[in-house]
Amino acid sequence: MHWQLAAYVHVSTVYTCVVICREHDKDPEQFFSAVYKLEEEGLDFRISVIGEGYTVVPDIFEEARHRLANHVVNWGYQPSKEDYYRVLMSADVAVSTAKHEFFGVAMLEAIHCGCYPLAPNRVVYPEILPKEYLYNTPNQLFKELKKFCRRPHLVRNNQKCSKINLEKFSWDTLKKSYEELLS
């Protein structure tokens, strides 16, 4: 069993929303390690850790929920898709720390809702995101989040994700290919 997690960080005036899954292969330890460093440096941020919970949840989630209680905006399962999207739309940054990812749907949803993505330069992400949204090391992730805490306008610019083409994943774009494939 696993926990689905979407975590979003709201920093200073930035609300960071980090999208990861509550599974060990999504590396929640890396994410929370970066967020703990933000806290230790006294940076102002808010975080939402959302998603569906199952039977087995890595211990780091309960630890983080208590340690970051003063920063938490939302935690756990959202009762509706609309509530889930509302959290995404209020966030500034979506983060993935996945070691294993088939497609990155949660990150694409977050981008569609206006979040600035930060994803590892591995698995599916180099195929769907330009290089400026990818990090190579846990320290690079921390440095990016720290930069956004100090300079939230960098992720609040309306053009922040203009280089990411989500249209290529839309049904309008893919429909004809699927019809040809299945006929």
Coordinates of all heavy atoms in Angstrom, one line a residue, residues 66-131:
H66 N 4.4 17.1 12.1 CA 4.6 17.7 13.5 C 5.7 18.8 13.4 O 5.5 19.9 13.9 CB 4.9 16.7 14.5 CG 3.7 15.8 14.8 ND1 2.6 16.2 15.4 CD2 3.5 14.5 14.5 CE1 1.7 15.2 15.5 NE2 2.3 14.2 14.9
R67 N 6.8 18.5 12.8 CA 7.9 19.4 12.8 C 7.6 20.7 12.0 O 8.0 21.8 12.3 CB 9.1 18.7 12.2 CG 10.3 19.6 12.1 CD 11.6 18.9 11.8 NE 12.7 19.8 11.6 CZ 13.9 19.5 11.2 NH1 14.2 18.2 11.0 NH2 14.8 20.4 11.1
L68 N 6.8 20.6 10.9 CA 6.4 21.7 10.1 C 5.0 22.3 10.4 O 4.5 23.0 9.6 CB 6.6 21.3 8.6 CG 7.9 20.8 8.2 CD1 7.9 20.2 6.8 CD2 8.9 22.0 8.2
A69 N 4.5 21.9 11.5 CA 3.1 22.3 11.8 C 2.8 23.8 11.6 O 1.7 24.2 11.1 CB 2.7 21.9 13.2
N70 N 3.7 24.6 11.9 CA 3.6 26.1 11.8 C 3.6 26.6 10.3 O 3.3 27.7 10.1 CB 4.6 26.9 12.6 CG 4.4 26.7 14.1 OD1 3.3 26.4 14.6 ND2 5.5 26.8 14.8
H71 N 4.0 25.7 9.4 CA 4.1 26.0 8.0 C 3.0 25.4 7.2 O 2.8 25.7 6.0 CB 5.4 25.6 7.5 CG 6.6 26.2 8.2 ND1 7.0 27.5 7.9 CD2 7.4 25.7 9.2 CE1 8.1 27.8 8.7 NE2 8.3 26.7 9.5
V72 N 2.2 24.5 7.8 CA 1.3 23.7 7.0 C 0.0 24.4 6.7 O -0.6 25.0 7.6 CB 0.9 22.3 7.7 CG1 -0.2 21.6 7.0 CG2 2.2 21.5 7.8
V73 N -0.4 24.5 5.4 CA -1.6 25.0 5.0 C -2.7 23.9 4.8 O -3.8 24.0 5.3 CB -1.5 25.8 3.7 CG1 -2.8 26.4 3.2 CG2 -0.4 27.0 3.9
N74 N -2.3 22.9 4.1 CA -3.1 21.7 3.9 C -2.3 20.5 4.1 O -1.1 20.4 3.7 CB -3.6 21.7 2.4 CG -4.4 22.9 2.1 OD1 -5.6 23.1 2.4 ND2 -3.8 23.9 1.4
W75 N -3.0 19.4 4.6 CA -2.3 18.1 4.8 C -3.3 17.0 4.5 O -4.4 17.0 5.1 CB -1.7 18.0 6.2 CG -0.7 16.9 6.3 CD1 -1.0 15.6 6.5 CD2 0.7 17.0 6.2 NE1 0.1 14.8 6.5 CE2 1.2 15.7 6.4 CE3 1.6 18.0 6.1 CZ2 2.6 15.4 6.4 CZ3 2.9 17.8 6.1 CH2 3.4 16.4 6.2
G76 N -2.9 16.0 3.7 CA -3.7 14.9 3.5 C -4.7 14.9 2.3 O -4.6 15.8 1.5
Y77 N -5.5 14.0 2.3 CA -6.5 13.8 1.2 C -7.4 15.0 1.2 O -8.0 15.5 2.2 CB -7.3 12.6 1.5 CG -8.3 12.3 0.4 CD1 -7.9 11.8 -0.8 CD2 -9.7 12.5 0.7 CE1 -8.8 11.5 -1.8 CE2 -10.6 12.2 -0.3 CZ -10.2 11.7 -1.6 OH -11.1 11.5 -2.5
Q78 N -7.7 15.5 -0.1 CA -8.6 16.6 -0.3 C -9.9 15.9 -0.7 O -9.9 15.0 -1.6 CB -8.1 17.5 -1.4 CG -6.8 18.2 -1.0 CD -7.0 19.1 0.3 OE1 -7.7 20.0 0.3 NE2 -6.3 18.6 1.3
P79 N -11.1 16.3 -0.2 CA -12.3 15.6 -0.4 C -12.8 15.6 -1.8 O -13.6 14.8 -2.2 CB -13.3 16.4 0.5 CG -12.6 17.6 1.0 CD -11.2 17.4 0.8
S80 N -12.4 16.6 -2.6 CA -12.8 16.6 -4.0 C -11.7 17.0 -5.0 O -10.7 17.6 -4.5 CB -14.0 17.5 -4.2 OG -13.6 18.9 -4.0
K81 N -11.9 16.8 -6.2 CA -10.9 17.2 -7.2 C -10.9 18.7 -7.2 O -9.8 19.3 -7.4 CB -11.4 16.7 -8.6 CG -10.3 16.7 -9.6 CD -9.2 15.7 -9.3 CE -8.3 15.4 -10.5 NZ -7.1 14.6 -10.2
E82 N -12.0 19.4 -7.0 CA -12.0 20.8 -7.0 C -11.2 21.4 -5.8 O -10.5 22.4 -6.0 CB -13.5 21.4 -6.8 CG -14.3 21.1 -8.1 CD -14.8 19.7 -8.2 OE1 -14.9 18.9 -7.2 OE2 -15.2 19.3 -9.3
D83 N -11.3 20.7 -4.7 CA -10.4 21.1 -3.5 C -8.9 20.9 -3.8 O -8.1 21.7 -3.5 CB -10.8 20.3 -2.3 CG -12.2 20.7 -1.7 OD1 -12.6 21.9 -1.9 OD2 -12.8 19.9 -1.1
Y84 N -8.6 19.8 -4.5 CA -7.3 19.5 -4.9 C -6.7 20.6 -5.8 O -5.7 21.2 -5.6 CB -7.2 18.1 -5.6 CG -5.9 17.7 -6.2 CD1 -4.8 17.4 -5.4 CD2 -5.7 17.8 -7.6 CE1 -3.6 17.0 -6.0 CE2 -4.5 17.4 -8.2 CZ -3.5 17.0 -7.4 OH -2.3 16.7 -7.9
Y85 N -7.5 20.9 -6.8 CA -7.1 22.0 -7.8 C -7.0 23.4 -7.1 O -6.2 24.2 -7.4 CB -8.1 22.1 -9.0 CG -7.9 20.9 -9.9 CD1 -9.1 20.3 -10.5 CD2 -6.7 20.4 -10.2 CE1 -8.9 19.2 -11.3 CE2 -6.5 19.3 -11.1 CZ -7.7 18.7 -11.7 OH -7.5 17.7 -12.5
R86 N -7.9 23.6 -6.1 CA -7.9 24.9 -5.4 C -6.5 25.0 -4.7 O -5.9 26.1 -4.6 CB -9.0 25.0 -4.4 CG -9.3 26.3 -3.9 CD -10.6 26.5 -3.1 NE -11.4 25.3 -2.8 CZ -12.4 24.9 -3.6 NH1 -12.8 25.6 -4.6 NH2 -13.1 23.8 -3.3
V87 N -6.0 23.9 -4.1 CA -4.7 23.9 -3.4 C -3.6 24.2 -4.4 O -2.8 25.1 -4.2 CB -4.4 22.6 -2.7 CG1 -3.0 22.6 -2.2 CG2 -5.4 22.4 -1.5
L88 N -3.7 23.5 -5.6 CA -2.7 23.8 -6.6 C -2.7 25.2 -7.1 O -1.7 25.8 -7.3 CB -3.0 22.8 -7.8 CG -2.7 21.4 -7.6 CD1 -3.1 20.6 -8.9 CD2 -1.3 21.1 -7.2
M89 N -3.9 25.8 -7.3 CA -4.0 27.1 -7.8 C -3.5 28.2 -6.8 O -3.1 29.3 -7.2 CB -5.4 27.4 -8.3 CG -5.8 26.7 -9.6 SD -7.4 27.1 -10.3 CE -8.5 26.2 -9.2
S90 N -3.5 27.8 -5.5 CA -3.0 28.8 -4.5 C -1.5 28.7 -4.3 O -1.0 29.5 -3.6 CB -3.8 28.6 -3.2 OG -3.4 27.3 -2.6
A91 N -0.9 27.6 -4.9 CA 0.5 27.4 -4.6 C 1.3 28.1 -5.7 O 0.8 28.5 -6.7 CB 0.8 25.9 -4.7
D92 N 2.6 28.3 -5.4 CA 3.5 28.9 -6.3 C 4.5 27.9 -7.0 O 4.8 28.0 -8.1 CB 4.4 29.9 -5.6 CG 3.5 31.1 -5.1 OD1 2.8 31.7 -5.9 OD2 3.6 31.3 -3.9
V93 N 4.9 26.9 -6.2 CA 5.9 26.0 -6.7 C 5.4 24.5 -6.4 O 4.9 24.2 -5.4 CB 7.3 26.2 -5.9 CG1 8.3 25.2 -6.4 CG2 7.8 27.6 -6.1
A94 N 5.6 23.7 -7.4 CA 5.4 22.3 -7.3 C 6.7 21.5 -7.4 O 7.5 21.8 -8.3 CB 4.4 21.8 -8.3
V95 N 6.9 20.6 -6.4 CA 8.2 19.9 -6.4 C 8.0 18.4 -6.5 O 7.1 17.9 -5.8 CB 9.0 20.2 -5.1 CG1 10.3 19.5 -5.1 CG2 9.2 21.7 -4.9
S96 N 8.8 17.8 -7.3 CA 8.9 16.3 -7.4 C 10.3 15.9 -7.0 O 11.2 16.5 -7.4 CB 8.5 15.8 -8.8 OG 8.8 14.4 -8.8
T97 N 10.3 14.8 -6.2 CA 11.6 14.2 -5.8 C 11.6 12.7 -6.3 O 12.4 11.9 -5.8 CB 11.9 14.3 -4.3 OG1 10.8 13.8 -3.6 CG2 12.1 15.8 -3.9
A98 N 10.8 12.4 -7.2 CA 10.5 11.0 -7.6 C 11.8 10.3 -8.1 O 12.6 10.9 -8.9 CB 9.5 11.0 -8.7
K99 N 12.0 9.1 -7.7 CA 13.0 8.2 -8.2 C 12.4 7.4 -9.3 O 13.2 6.8 -10.1 CB 13.6 7.3 -7.1 CG 14.3 8.0 -6.0 CD 14.8 7.1 -5.0 CE 15.6 7.7 -3.9 NZ 16.0 6.8 -2.9
H100 N 11.1 7.3 -9.3 CA 10.4 6.4 -10.3 C 9.1 7.2 -10.7 O 8.4 7.6 -9.8 CB 10.1 5.1 -9.7 CG 9.3 4.2 -10.6 ND1 10.0 3.5 -11.5 CD2 8.0 3.9 -10.7 CE1 9.1 2.7 -12.2 NE2 7.9 3.0 -11.7
E101 N 8.9 7.4 -12.0 CA 7.7 8.1 -12.4 C 7.4 7.7 -13.9 O 8.3 7.7 -14.7 CB 8.0 9.6 -12.4 CG 6.8 10.5 -12.7 CD 5.8 10.4 -11.6 OE1 6.0 11.0 -10.5 OE2 4.7 9.8 -11.9
F102 N 6.2 7.3 -14.1 CA 5.8 6.9 -15.5 C 5.5 8.1 -16.4 O 5.9 8.1 -17.5 CB 4.6 6.0 -15.4 CG 4.9 4.6 -14.9 CD1 4.4 4.2 -13.7 CD2 5.7 3.7 -15.6 CE1 4.7 3.0 -13.2 CE2 6.0 2.5 -15.1 CZ 5.5 2.1 -13.9
F103 N 4.8 9.1 -15.8 CA 4.4 10.2 -16.7 C 4.4 11.5 -16.0 O 4.6 12.5 -16.7 CB 2.9 9.9 -17.2 CG 2.5 10.9 -18.3 CD1 3.1 10.9 -19.5 CD2 1.5 11.8 -18.0 CE1 2.7 11.9 -20.5 CE2 1.1 12.8 -18.9 CZ 1.7 12.8 -20.2
G104 N 4.2 11.6 -14.8 CA 4.3 12.9 -14.1 C 3.0 13.7 -14.1 O 3.0 14.9 -14.2
V105 N 1.8 13.0 -14.1 CA 0.5 13.6 -14.2 C 0.3 14.7 -13.1 O -0.1 15.8 -13.4 CB -0.6 12.6 -14.1 CG1 -2.0 13.3 -14.0 CG2 -0.5 11.7 -15.3
A106 N 0.7 14.4 -11.9 CA 0.5 15.4 -10.8 C 1.3 16.7 -11.1 O 0.8 17.8 -10.8 CB 0.9 14.8 -9.4
M107 N 2.5 16.6 -11.6 CA 3.3 17.8 -11.9 C 2.6 18.5 -13.1 O 2.6 19.7 -13.0 CB 4.7 17.4 -12.3 CG 5.5 17.0 -11.1 SD 5.8 18.4 -9.9 CE 7.0 19.3 -10.7
L108 N 2.1 17.8 -14.1 CA 1.4 18.5 -15.2 C 0.2 19.2 -14.7 O -0.1 20.3 -15.1 CB 1.1 17.5 -16.3 CG 2.3 16.9 -17.0 CD1 1.9 15.9 -18.0 CD2 3.2 18.0 -17.7
E109 N -0.6 18.6 -13.8 CA -1.7 19.2 -13.2 C -1.3 20.5 -12.5 O -2.0 21.6 -12.6 CB -2.5 18.3 -12.3 CG -3.2 17.2 -12.9 CD -3.9 16.2 -12.0 OE1 -3.3 16.0 -10.9 OE2 -5.0 15.8 -12.3
A110 N -0.2 20.4 -11.7 CA 0.2 21.6 -10.9 C 0.7 22.7 -11.9 O 0.3 23.9 -11.6 CB 1.4 21.2 -10.0
I111 N 1.4 22.4 -13.0 CA 1.8 23.4 -13.9 C 0.6 24.0 -14.6 O 0.5 25.2 -14.7 CB 2.7 22.7 -15.0 CG1 4.0 22.3 -14.4 CG2 2.9 23.7 -16.2 CD1 4.8 21.3 -15.3
H112 N -0.4 23.2 -14.9 CA -1.6 23.7 -15.5 C -2.3 24.7 -14.6 O -3.0 25.7 -15.0 CB -2.6 22.6 -15.9 CG -3.9 23.0 -16.5 ND1 -3.9 23.4 -17.8 CD2 -5.1 23.1 -16.0 CE1 -5.2 23.8 -18.1 NE2 -5.9 23.6 -17.0
C113 N -2.2 24.5 -13.3 CA -2.9 25.3 -12.3 C -2.0 26.5 -11.9 O -2.3 27.3 -11.0 CB -3.2 24.5 -11.0 SG -4.6 23.4 -11.3
G114 N -0.8 26.7 -12.6 CA 0.0 27.8 -12.4 C 1.2 27.7 -11.5 O 1.9 28.7 -11.2
C115 N 1.5 26.5 -11.1 CA 2.7 26.3 -10.2 C 4.0 26.2 -11.1 O 4.0 25.7 -12.2 CB 2.6 24.9 -9.5 SG 1.3 24.9 -8.3
Y116 N 5.0 26.7 -10.5 CA 6.4 26.6 -11.1 C 6.9 25.3 -10.7 O 7.0 24.9 -9.5 CB 7.3 27.7 -10.5 CG 8.6 27.8 -11.1 CD1 8.9 28.8 -12.1 CD2 9.6 26.9 -10.7 CE1 10.2 28.8 -12.6 CE2 10.9 27.0 -11.2 CZ 11.2 28.0 -12.2 OH 12.5 28.0 -12.7
P117 N 7.3 24.4 -11.7 CA 7.7 23.1 -11.4 C 9.2 23.0 -11.0 O 10.0 23.7 -11.7 CB 7.5 22.3 -12.7 CG 7.6 23.3 -13.7 CD 7.1 24.6 -13.1
L118 N 9.6 22.2 -10.1 CA 10.9 21.8 -9.8 C 10.9 20.3 -9.7 O 10.3 19.7 -8.9 CB 11.4 22.4 -8.4 CG 11.8 23.8 -8.3 CD1 12.1 24.2 -6.9 CD2 12.9 24.1 -9.3
A119 N 11.7 19.7 -10.6 CA 11.7 18.2 -10.8 C 13.1 17.7 -11.0 O 13.9 18.4 -11.5 CB 10.8 17.8 -11.9
P120 N 13.3 16.5 -10.6 CA 14.6 15.9 -10.8 C 15.0 15.7 -12.2 O 14.1 15.4 -13.0 CB 14.6 14.6 -10.0 CG 13.1 14.2 -10.0 CD 12.4 15.5 -10.0
N121 N 16.2 15.8 -12.5 CA 16.7 15.7 -13.9 C 16.9 14.2 -14.2 O 18.0 13.7 -14.4 CB 18.0 16.4 -14.1 CG 18.4 16.5 -15.6 OD1 17.6 16.1 -16.5 ND2 19.6 16.9 -15.8
R122 N 15.7 13.4 -14.1 CA 15.7 12.0 -14.3 C 14.3 11.5 -14.5 O 13.4 12.4 -14.6 CB 16.3 11.3 -13.0 CG 15.6 11.5 -11.8 CD 16.2 10.7 -10.6 NE 15.4 11.0 -9.4 CZ 15.8 11.8 -8.4 NH1 17.0 12.5 -8.5 NH2 15.1 12.0 -7.3
V123 N 14.1 10.3 -14.7 CA 12.9 9.6 -15.0 C 12.2 10.4 -16.2 O 12.9 10.7 -17.1 CB 12.0 9.4 -13.8 CG1 12.6 8.4 -12.8 CG2 11.6 10.7 -13.0
V124 N 11.0 10.7 -16.1 CA 10.2 11.2 -17.3 C 10.4 12.8 -17.4 O 10.2 13.3 -18.5 CB 8.7 10.9 -17.1 CG1 8.1 11.7 -16.0 CG2 7.9 11.2 -18.4
Y125 N 10.9 13.4 -16.4 CA 10.9 14.9 -16.4 C 11.8 15.5 -17.5 O 11.3 16.6 -18.0 CB 11.2 15.4 -15.0 CG 10.2 15.0 -14.0 CD1 10.4 14.2 -12.9 CD2 8.9 15.5 -14.2 CE1 9.4 13.8 -12.1 CE2 7.8 15.1 -13.3 CZ 8.1 14.3 -12.3 OH 7.1 13.9 -11.4
P126 N 12.9 15.0 -17.8 CA 13.7 15.7 -18.9 C 12.9 15.6 -20.2 O 13.2 16.5 -21.1 CB 15.0 14.9 -19.0 CG 15.2 14.3 -17.6 CD 13.8 14.0 -17.1
E127 N 12.0 14.7 -20.4 CA 11.2 14.6 -21.6 C 10.1 15.6 -21.7 O 9.6 16.0 -22.8 CB 10.6 13.2 -21.8 CG 11.6 12.1 -21.9 CD 11.0 10.8 -21.9 OE1 9.9 10.6 -22.5 OE2 11.6 9.8 -21.3
I128 N 9.6 16.1 -20.5 CA 8.4 17.0 -20.5 C 8.7 18.4 -20.0 O 7.9 19.3 -20.3 CB 7.3 16.4 -19.7 CG1 7.6 16.2 -18.2 CG2 6.8 15.1 -20.3 CD1 6.5 15.7 -17.4
L129 N 9.9 18.6 -19.4 CA 10.2 20.0 -18.9 C 11.5 20.5 -19.4 O 12.5 19.8 -19.5 CB 10.3 19.9 -17.3 CG 9.1 19.5 -16.6 CD1 9.4 19.4 -15.1 CD2 8.0 20.6 -16.8
P130 N 11.6 21.8 -19.7 CA 12.8 22.4 -20.1 C 13.8 22.4 -18.9 O 13.4 22.2 -17.8 CB 12.4 23.9 -20.4 CG 11.0 23.8 -20.7 CD 10.4 22.7 -19.9
K131 N 15.1 22.5 -19.3 CA 16.2 22.3 -18.3 C 16.1 23.2 -17.1 O 16.5 22.8 -16.0 CB 17.5 22.4 -18.9 CG 17.9 21.3 -19.8 CD 19.3 21.5 -20.4 CE 19.6 20.3 -21.3 NZ 21.0 20.3 -21.8

